[in-house]
Amino acid sequence: MTTSSSQPANGPTSGTAGSPGLDSAAGWGVALSASLATFAVFGVQYSFGVVLASIRAEFGIGTGVTSLLFAVSTFIYFVLGVFTGRLGDRYGPRRVLVAGAVALGAGLWATSVAQQLWLATVTYVIGVGIGVACAYVPMVSVVGGWFERHRTAALGVAVAGIGLGQLVGALTAEWLVELSGWRDTFQVLAVVATALLLLAAIGARRPPNPAPQSEMPSLRGLTRNRSFTLLYLSMLLLSASLFVPIIFIKDYLEDLGKPGGQWLIGIIGLASLLGRLVLGALGTMLPLMRLYQFSFTIMGLSYLIWLFAGDNYAVLVIYTFVMGGSYGGFIALSPAVAAELFGLAGLGGVLGALYTAAGVGGLAGPPLAGLLIDGAGYRATIVAAMLVALCSVPLLIAAGRTRAVALATVGGGEAADQPAAARAHAEPVLVAQPSDVARAASAGHSRPATVLHFRSAPRERTLGPAAIDSVLLLSFGGPDGPNDVRPFLHNVTRGRDVPPERLAQVEAQYLRHGGVSPINEQNRALLSAVSGELARRGTPLACYWGNRNWHPYLRDTVGQMVGEVRRHAAVIVTSAFSSYSGCRQYHEDLARAASEVPGAPQLSRVRVYGNHPGFAGAVAERISEALDGAHLRSDVHTLFTAHSLPSRMAATCDYEAQLADAAATVADVAGLSGEIEVVYQSRSGPPHVPWLGPDVNDRLAQLGSQGCRAVLVVPLGFVSDHMEVLVDLDSTARATAARSGITMVRARSVGTHPLFVEALADLVEETAGLRADRPTVGRLVPHPDACALGCCPAS
């Protein structure tokens, strides 16, 4: 089914030439530095349960009051994460980490010499709170920017230090307290933790291409985002309960006259370490939100084990292992879930805002649990903790079903660097605001269209002799939730003779992915990358996004551009090759929008770029990545795939010739020496209508019967890993290959590869009249900016 022509990119940009790139060894070095930083700060924080009894005895206070030291410091570091996350985005993680090292060391040392409870409380909560805030959010968010394919696994490594720190910190603190008391223990921890943080700071590096400077929405904007609100509330409830065993399980065991509580705290840390690594790795293969929901559910149910354990140490070990493993999944998956829902732009600020939920839960949970322990005992406290934890699960399930949009506006360069007073005269900063221009009548919906708008340049900013003042990304569109799937498919297939059973099949495919097309986040990522590249060149332009078949509809976006006094836009279409649906129809869409919207700006499409050196180079580098990752030789049999077309439509354009030329060129650039072929996928028409072939599944089956045992599949005809790539290649074709005895390796699409992003920026400058050359690779000449008369008819 033709649900896209070619769609935009997935994930952040890779490194520029000559610098470390995404998913590189340098990125793993940063992840290990983050793990060292989290090991240091959480080794201190989570050893508090070991020194709890000593502090309580010296100052003569109750359990609830003593737990305030832990609770308030937890609240402080999670709330400060809002600011340290933004500071890390702006100034880099190294400076922030050094500041945290100084604060942590000074705070612990001051606490160790304090003689009054209030002074010990102030120095501990401020020192530890600032130290953890400077190490946690900035380092986790910077790791997310270093990875694309292995982001979830890398984030699991980054936060693995939390569990290891809890294990080592608890056992070390127990030994030190018995040896020389809690005051000397804090002094030792001050020296060691400070040294480890300074060591971690050496490896703290910005990503190769950081996201453009971002601004977070107001508190009102956050609370109006339903997905963020539900995620926030679920995290708050879970955090209120998860700190209960970390602080009190040693005290619980001592009340029963049993030793070994410090080992239970250590087991929680060890199990959480394993949970981080295992669930972090699974997050790269399984649906991320489902894994996250699984972690929440298991953590809540684990309290049943504690409830019936009594003083049975073996059962308590089982409890701490189950609880710790699910807790590790919660910690490991939270950053990846935030990145998936809200994008990478301003991830540090987003995580900081989200983690205030853990701060509020950590502030309320331990003191209330302590008071409940003092008044009603441990059994009632365990039941309360379990109920609170389980209440978080339906909220999280609801969050996974809602439509999420980017929370941070992105942009950069001159506009981003202006002070607030100067920006007041620039275009407004909007993200996912309802358009006042038009209703989505074509879909039969009455709700306003949603138009994504990246930070604008000043109103007078233009580019080149053609006075280009904006960039418009024009794409196919995709559903944002389960309720959107059927009307979206009706938009796509209106006027086409698509069998109902095929429609039902495609609908089921979308629903298996939550009804959300990955093309939407990929569009945001690509537009963000192009916006950042133009800003880097000193020519920041206003950037807009419009679709053919779903929100934001092209007509609504053009209407918004009129309201913001845009005069001339360079239009980037997310299709690298020309056919009716991939080229001419987009020209028709632009002409229709210009005629329907009064005062529409001039819309000048950049040329078809399937033979642009930047596109070909990006595909070639994706092939090299795939070969290296799978340890394949360059003589592997390679299938270049593209969207199939009805044969009559293909006969009226040079779609096949473009693909054949591009495949040969890319194979040459990538150094492929084996056999290469162009095959097709995603056929959707009636069975009696001939379409281009061979189909990728048919060809895989043939190759298997001929003894071929390894095949490289390259989605040449697609610019992003959208739904058709995920379903038709990663699911259906991979299953066909397995049945045929073939090891199938798929190269990623160009996505936001820097060569591709730079190529699109070059094409914008070309359209603006700043470039006279029109570079190409292969045998074919550059394509014209506009379709020639009679080119690529609908047939």
Side-chain angles (χ1 to χ4, degrees):
M1 176 175 184
T2 309
T3 57
S4 60
S5 299
S6 233
Q7 301 170 357
N10 183 18
T13 57
S14 301
T16 56
S19 67
L22 297 182
D23 298 282
S24 63
W28 287 108
V30 175
L32 290 174
S33 294
S35 186
L36 181 61
T38 55
F39 169 83
V41 295
F42 285 101
V44 171
Q45 174 71 347
Y46 287 160
S47 65
F48 184 81
V50 173
V51 301
L52 173 70
S54 299
I55 295 175
R56 184 179 59 186
E58 178 170 331
F59 288 105
I61 53 178
T63 305
V65 176
T66 312
S67 65
L68 276 174
L69 273 75
F70 180 93
V72 177
S73 63
T74 300
F75 175 75
I76 287 179
Y77 73 68
F78 277 126
V79 170
L80 285 182
V82 176
F83 305 101
T84 59
R86 297 187 189 185
L87 289 173
D89 287 340
R90 185 174 182 85
Y91 299 110
R94 183 171 297 165
R95 296 180 183 178
V96 179
L97 198 53
V98 170
V102 173
L104 181 64
L108 285 173
W109 196 277
T111 303
S112 73
V113 298
Q115 298 302 315
Q116 291 83 31
L117 177 62
W118 70 267
L119 183 59
T121 301
V122 170
T123 55
Y124 183 88
V125 300
I126 293 179
V128 175
I130 294 176
V132 179
C134 289
Y136 186 29
V137 174
M139 288 301 293
V140 169
S141 62
V142 81
V143 168
W146 271 97
F147 290 87
E148 183 176 19
R149 172 175 289 184
H150 303 295
R151 181 179 302 136
T152 306
L155 288 170
V157 170
V159 297
I162 301 176
L164 190 59
Q166 184 175 348
L167 172 63
V168 176
L171 299 179
T172 302
E174 175 73 15
W175 174 69
L176 289 172
V177 167
E178 291 180 356
L179 185 68
S180 56
W182 71 270
R183 293 183 181 275
D184 287 348
T185 298
F186 273 10
Q187 291 182 3
V188 172
L189 292 177
V191 173
V192 173
T194 300
L196 291 177
L197 287 180
L198 293 176
L199 182 62
I202 297 174
R205 302 172 59 187
R206 289 181 182 270
N209 278 315
Q213 289 296 320
S214 60
E215 288 187 5
M216 288 296 299
S218 64
L219 178 61
R220 181 183 179 187
L222 288 171
T223 56
R224 292 178 65 180
N225 184 294
R226 178 173 170 80
S227 185
F228 181 87
T229 301
L230 291 169
L231 194 62
Y232 187 95
L233 292 174
S234 65
M235 184 177 288
L236 189 155
L237 291 176
L238 193 72
S239 300
S241 68
L242 72 86
F243 291 118
V244 173
I246 293 174
I247 298 177
F248 297 117
I249 198 162
K250 181 176 184 290
D251 206 50
Y252 164 83
L253 205 58
E254 290 177 351
D255 278 0
L256 297 174
K258 298 284 186 177
Q262 74 276 10
W263 285 100
L264 294 179
I265 297 175
I267 291 171
I268 293 176
L270 176 62
S272 70
L273 170 62
L274 296 176
R276 286 165 170 82
L277 296 176
V278 172
L279 291 175
L282 288 176
T284 64
M285 299 178 285
L286 300 176
L288 193 57
M289 183 57 80
R290 296 288 177 84
L291 278 176
Y292 198 51
Q293 293 164 354
F294 173 78
S295 298
F296 275 54
T297 305
I298 295 301
M299 195 185 308
L301 293 176
S302 70
Y303 287 90
L304 284 172
I305 305 175
W306 187 8
L307 184 64
F308 295 105
D311 62 352
N312 189 316
Y313 198 84
V315 178
L316 288 171
V317 168
I318 295 173
Y319 160 68
T320 52
F321 199 86
V322 174
M323 182 270 170
S326 56
Y327 161 52
F330 161 61
I331 296 298
L333 299 177
S334 291
V337 167
E340 181 177 273
L341 289 178
F342 309 118
L344 286 173
L347 180 59
V350 172
L351 284 175
L354 189 61
Y355 283 161
T356 61
V360 175
L363 178 64
L368 291 175
L371 293 174
L372 192 57
I373 290 168
D374 291 338
Y378 271 100
R379 191 172 184 83
T381 305
I382 296 168
V383 171
M386 178 180 64
L387 293 177
V388 170
L390 289 176
C391 285
S392 70
V393 177
L395 292 171
L396 184 61
I397 293 174
R401 292 175 177 172
T402 59
R403 176 181 305 156
V405 298
L407 290 175
T409 59
V410 299
E414 183 176 310
D417 294 335
Q418 294 179 41
R423 287 203 311 267
H425 300 290
E427 293 302 312
V429 176
L430 300 173
V431 166
Q433 296 296 325
S435 170
D436 295 325
V437 179
R439 299 282 181 171
S442 60
H445 288 251
S446 59
R447 63 181 175 85
T450 298
V451 179
L452 185 68
H453 175 204
F454 291 84
R455 177 182 292 153
S456 303
R459 191 180 299 278
E460 65 276 7
R461 166 68 69 178
T462 59
L463 180 65
I468 295 292
D469 61 9
S470 50
V471 174
L472 170 61
L473 183 71
L474 178 55
S475 190
F476 192 83
D480 290 310
N483 293 334
D484 297 339
V485 174
R486 181 57 65 92
F488 163 73
L489 293 178
H490 284 318
N491 281 354
V492 174
T493 59
R494 186 176 290 108
R496 305 182 183 185
D497 188 17
V498 178
E501 58 273 15
R502 175 59 176 157
L503 263 182
Q505 179 186 15
V506 176
E507 181 181 18
Q509 291 169 354
Y510 275 104
L511 293 177
R512 279 196 294 271
H513 287 76
V516 178
S517 172
I519 189 175
N520 301 311
E521 182 57 34
Q522 293 163 3
N523 274 319
R524 298 182 185 104
L526 182 60
L527 193 55
S528 171
V530 173
S531 173
E533 174 62 20
L534 290 170
R536 187 189 66 80
R537 299 182 183 194
T539 54
L541 295 178
C543 293
Y544 301 84
W545 166 34
N547 289 325
R548 172 186 294 165
N549 292 299
W550 200 247
H551 308 284
Y553 286 106
L554 175 60
R555 184 181 186 277
D556 298 318
T557 303
V558 172
Q560 183 181 359
M561 296 170 74
V562 171
E564 295 172 6
V565 200
R566 299 302 170 196
R567 301 299 185 192
H568 193 180
V571 181
I572 298 171
V573 170
T574 57
S575 177
F577 300 95
S578 58
S579 62
Y580 173 73
S581 59
C583 180
R584 187 178 188 88
Q585 191 175 5
Y586 282 115
H587 281 286
E588 294 173 355
D589 295 335
L590 292 169
R592 185 180 306 109
S595 66
E596 292 177 351
V597 180
Q602 182 179 346
L603 302 172
S604 298
R605 182 190 161 169
V606 306
R607 63 184 167 96
V608 172
Y609 46 78
N611 60 348
H612 191 285
F615 176 78
V619 178
E621 290 204 5
R622 294 302 196 204
I623 289 174
S624 297
E625 292 173 4
L627 293 177
D628 292 342
H631 305 292
L632 289 178
R633 302 192 322 180
S634 60
D635 61 353
V636 66
H637 196 111
T638 303
L639 301 180
F640 290 90
T641 72
H643 204 299
S644 186
L645 298 178
S647 299
R648 288 182 57 193
M649 181 182 290
T652 64
C653 62
D654 60 352
Y655 182 67
E656 293 175 274
Q658 291 175 40
L659 289 168
D661 185 59
T665 302
V666 167
D668 184 57
V669 174
L672 294 177
S673 57
E675 186 175 350
I676 67 168
E677 302 178 62
V678 175
V679 298
Y680 297 90
Q681 63 177 87
S682 311
R683 173 202 167 116
S684 61
H688 64 276
V689 175
W691 280 55
L692 291 179
D695 180 83
V696 61
N697 292 283
D698 295 339
R699 188 60 184 131
L700 284 169
Q702 292 172 357
L703 290 172
S705 66
Q706 295 167 6
C708 180
R709 290 297 170 257
V711 170
L712 174 66
V713 175
V714 182
L716 177 67
F718 307 90
V719 302
S720 74
D721 291 346
H722 53 73
M723 189 67 74
E724 284 175 333
V725 174
L726 299 179
V727 173
D728 294 342
L729 295 184
D730 290 353
S731 179
T732 306
R734 194 176 298 280
T736 300
R739 288 194 301 270
S740 304
I742 293 175
T743 298
M744 173 184 146
V745 175
R746 180 177 73 80
R748 290 184 292 165
S749 56
V750 290
T752 50
H753 192 287
L755 292 179
F756 180 50
V757 172
E758 290 166 9
L760 295 180
D762 289 345
L763 290 168
V764 171
E765 292 182 347
E766 186 179 294
T767 303
L770 293 178
R771 292 174 178 265
D773 62 323
R774 296 167 68 87
T776 61
V777 288
R779 299 179 294 103
L780 302 180
V781 299
H783 291 270
D785 295 337
C787 290
L789 185 64
C791 177
C792 303
S795 184

